[in-house]
Amino acid sequence: MHYLNISFSHKNSTMEVREKLSYKDEFAKKGCLSKLNTGETINESILISTCNRMEVFCSCIDITAATKHIFEMLAARSGISIDELEGRADIFDDSSAIHHLFSVASSLDSMVIGETQIAGQLKDAFRFSYDNGFSGQKLARAMHHAFKCAAKVRNATDISSKPVSIASVAVSKLKSVLDSVEGKKALVIGVGEMSEITAKHLLSSGADVYIMNRTKERASKLAQECGAKSLDISELPKAVNEFEILFTATSASEPIITDEIIKPCDFDRYWFDMALPRDINYHKGERINLYVIDDLKNIVDENISSREDSARKAHNIIGRSTVEFFEWLNTLNIEPMIKEIYQKAFEAAKLETQRVLKKGYIPKEYEAQINKMSEQVLKRFLHEMTSKMRNVSEESKADLLTSALQFLVQKDNTDMPDEYKCEHALNIIEGK
């Protein structure tokens, strides 16, 4: 079994490419995961699709074949050639795939280092995959340890001491181009986590905030929780030409603001499109200052610079956690085999006891004592051997040992890890 991660992110792909690769709704995500798992080499998969990244994380039996299958599937859906996809993607396998997963979970791979949204996005991605039968024990183990690693990073560094997000960076950008936002009318379209964070930052800065969503009830609920006002989505054509400040972060598959509803205004407008695919698509120069996710890079770079020391500590933790994960994984192979060796030895001892009793070499009344003595002899003989087996499972030769033992006890290599009962999936689903 191998781990494989194919990643398209803000580091290697433009927004246009990420838009074509994004999966916005559950129907599309379910279709993607179904196609992934129908490949002969992929047995479990998770799809991570956010504004800054689209990643496929899977377990497979053949890395080369699985990689080919993933690129063919993505090319067919996005219309992007396989050559371009291969040229852009970061491909991680086995230890590098786990290291990358841990980095993502710890927000070290995010555009905004230390942002707090990615952990929830990862949990949601795993929960969706698990609930729909596309992932199980193998990926649950990796995800469980990813969140353990992220917790270590948070506890050992101050990388998340001042929580930030794309939304908070966008509001900071707004403040840098306006003298003040106090008293200004601001429209927030969408009711997701990004919109909620935006609304709260704007309100704390004194803005007059209105929230709009295609579902009126959800807009009213968020507005009430934040202390803002709500607007019906039918008022969008009017609102875009009245509000000076606009933030949008919806899950719409097509732009909701286009040339058709934009009219000239005698004031400057500041629009922030935080959605992917983008919510705004216009071609008129109507005194509109439009900022999209990738335009926030300068503030992001300052964020990275201010957290370099914490980032270095975090990378060290991630490196150690990766090693520890594979050491732990190897013990899952060792323990069932040790158990089977003892079982086979005791079965042999029992058969031999029955043979000598049948031959009359030892009286029948001594059967229990003979059995006990035989098992003690075997335990003493096997103790040193099995102790060395457990110790070597933490060393680089573990794979050679487990392969040899699997051959000796006639266990299929791909089935061995599944002999270990794993409760990690349940823990993640229940939010533990």
Side-chain angles (χ1 to χ4, degrees):
M1 188 273 292
H2 301 279
Y3 288 110
L4 173 65
N5 185 299
I6 294 181
S7 170
F8 298 90
S9 71
H10 61 94
K11 292 183 176 181
N12 60 29
S13 300
T14 63
M15 181 169 288
E16 288 75 15
V17 170
R18 300 201 306 272
E19 279 181 324
K20 293 178 181 178
L21 292 170
S22 65
Y23 290 81
K24 293 300 291 185
D25 56 57
E26 292 187 353
F27 179 79
K29 291 175 182 176
K30 190 177 291 187
C32 172
L33 290 166
S34 179
K35 289 178 182 177
L36 284 171
N37 284 21
T38 55
E40 294 181 359
T41 63
I42 296 176
N43 45 61
E44 296 182 23
S45 59
I46 295 171
L47 175 66
I48 304 162
S49 184
T50 72
C51 59
N52 283 326
R53 68 179 66 250
M54 197 294 291
E55 298 193 0
V56 173
F57 179 53
C58 64
S59 68
C60 61
I61 58 175
D62 186 316
I63 290 172
T64 301
T67 302
K68 182 174 182 291
H69 174 63
I70 292 169
F71 279 129
E72 287 175 347
M73 190 199 77
L74 294 179
R77 181 182 186 274
S78 67
I80 303 172
S81 69
I82 291 178
D83 286 343
E84 182 176 353
L85 291 175
E86 289 177 339
R88 289 185 178 277
D90 288 323
I91 304 174
F92 307 96
D93 59 72
D94 290 332
S95 61
S96 65
I98 295 300
H99 188 279
H100 176 71
L101 175 68
F102 288 9
S103 297
V104 172
S106 303
S107 81
L108 265 291
D109 196 65
S110 298
M111 177 182 281
V112 182
I113 302 297
E115 58 97 356
T116 55
Q117 287 179 284
I118 188 61
Q121 291 167 338
L122 272 179
K123 284 185 179 180
D124 289 343
F126 174 74
R127 185 180 294 111
F128 181 82
S129 175
Y130 185 86
D131 286 347
N132 287 281
F134 298 115
S135 62
Q137 188 185 66
K138 297 177 179 65
L139 295 191
R141 289 169 174 164
M143 295 299 289
H144 176 73
H145 282 261
F147 294 122
K148 283 179 63 177
C149 175
K152 289 179 184 177
V153 169
R154 287 195 304 272
N155 294 332
T157 72
D158 61 357
I159 200 163
S160 297
S161 58
K162 296 179 180 178
V164 290
S165 64
I166 291 294
S168 62
V169 169
V171 175
S172 296
K173 180 64 178 179
L174 173 67
K175 291 179 179 179
S176 72
V177 296
L178 288 178
D179 292 334
S180 173
V181 298
E182 188 170 358
K184 295 185 181 294
K185 290 177 66 177
L187 177 63
V188 177
I189 307 175
V191 292
E193 184 179 6
M194 190 111 53
S195 298
E196 182 179 351
I197 294 171
T198 300
K200 289 179 178 178
H201 277 292
L202 289 169
L203 287 164
S204 67
S205 300
D208 185 16
V209 179
Y210 291 75
I211 295 173
M212 179 182 289
N213 189 60
R214 63 183 177 183
T215 305
K216 185 177 180 179
E217 292 76 15
R218 295 184 67 190
S220 299
K221 182 181 178 182
L222 179 58
Q224 187 176 5
E225 291 174 354
C226 295
K229 306 177 184 70
S230 65
L231 282 177
D232 192 273
I233 192 68
S234 63
E235 298 185 60
L236 179 60
K238 181 181 177 183
V240 297
N241 300 302
E242 291 184 350
F243 281 77
E244 182 179 353
I245 301 168
L246 182 148
F247 288 80
T248 180
T250 77
S251 58
S253 57
E254 299 290 338
I256 61 173
I257 299 175
T258 60
D259 290 331
E260 286 73 23
I261 64 173
I262 299 171
K263 297 178 181 178
C265 294
D266 59 359
F267 57 88
D268 290 326
R269 285 175 278 186
Y270 299 91
W271 291 358
F272 292 81
D273 188 347
M274 300 180 293
L276 195 79
R278 284 169 285 185
D279 284 334
I280 301 173
N281 182 23
Y282 83 103
H283 305 89
K284 299 177 181 178
E286 301 293 355
R287 296 179 67 177
I288 297 171
N289 301 280
L290 175 63
Y291 302 92
V292 296
I293 292 169
D294 289 359
D295 293 326
L296 305 174
K297 194 172 186 306
N298 289 338
I299 297 177
V300 170
D301 289 342
E302 292 174 9
N303 169 266
I304 294 173
S305 174
S306 67
R307 300 185 182 207
E308 283 183 354
D309 288 342
S310 293
R312 278 195 292 270
K313 292 179 183 177
H315 279 299
N316 288 336
I317 293 171
I318 291 167
R320 289 196 301 272
S321 295
T322 302
V323 173
E324 289 168 1
F325 171 72
F326 281 98
E327 288 177 348
W328 173 81
L329 201 60
N330 281 326
T331 66
L332 304 187
N333 287 333
I334 291 291
E335 292 301 334
M337 286 186 287
I338 289 176
K339 182 179 179 181
E340 181 148 350
I341 287 170
Y342 273 98
Q343 287 176 340
K344 286 181 178 293
F346 292 162
E347 286 171 6
K350 188 174 181 180
L351 287 172
E352 188 61 20
T353 298
Q354 295 301 316
R355 188 185 71 83
V356 297
L357 288 172
K358 186 176 181 180
K359 292 285 186 180
Y361 299 149
I362 298 174
K364 177 71 176 177
E365 58 267 26
Y366 294 115
E367 181 178 356
Q369 290 89 336
I370 296 170
N371 274 328
K372 185 175 181 180
M373 183 190 72
S374 299
E375 289 186 1
Q376 287 300 118
V377 169
L378 288 169
K379 284 180 181 179
R380 185 177 294 277
F381 171 73
L382 291 171
H383 175 72
E384 184 177 359
M385 182 191 307
T386 54
S387 294
K388 288 181 178 179
M389 288 165 61
R390 289 188 174 96
N391 290 335
V392 81
S393 71
E394 300 176 358
E395 300 172 0
S396 60
K397 294 180 181 179
D399 287 345
L400 292 174
L401 173 64
T402 54
S403 295
L405 288 172
Q406 284 163 349
F407 173 77
L408 291 173
V409 297
Q410 297 181 331
K411 283 287 184 181
D412 181 74
N413 187 47
T414 59
D415 289 341
M416 286 307 296
D418 292 329
E419 296 294 321
Y420 182 85
K421 185 178 179 182
C422 180
E423 301 294 341
H424 303 327
L426 184 60
N427 290 341
I428 294 173
I429 295 300
E430 294 179 348
K432 293 181 182 179

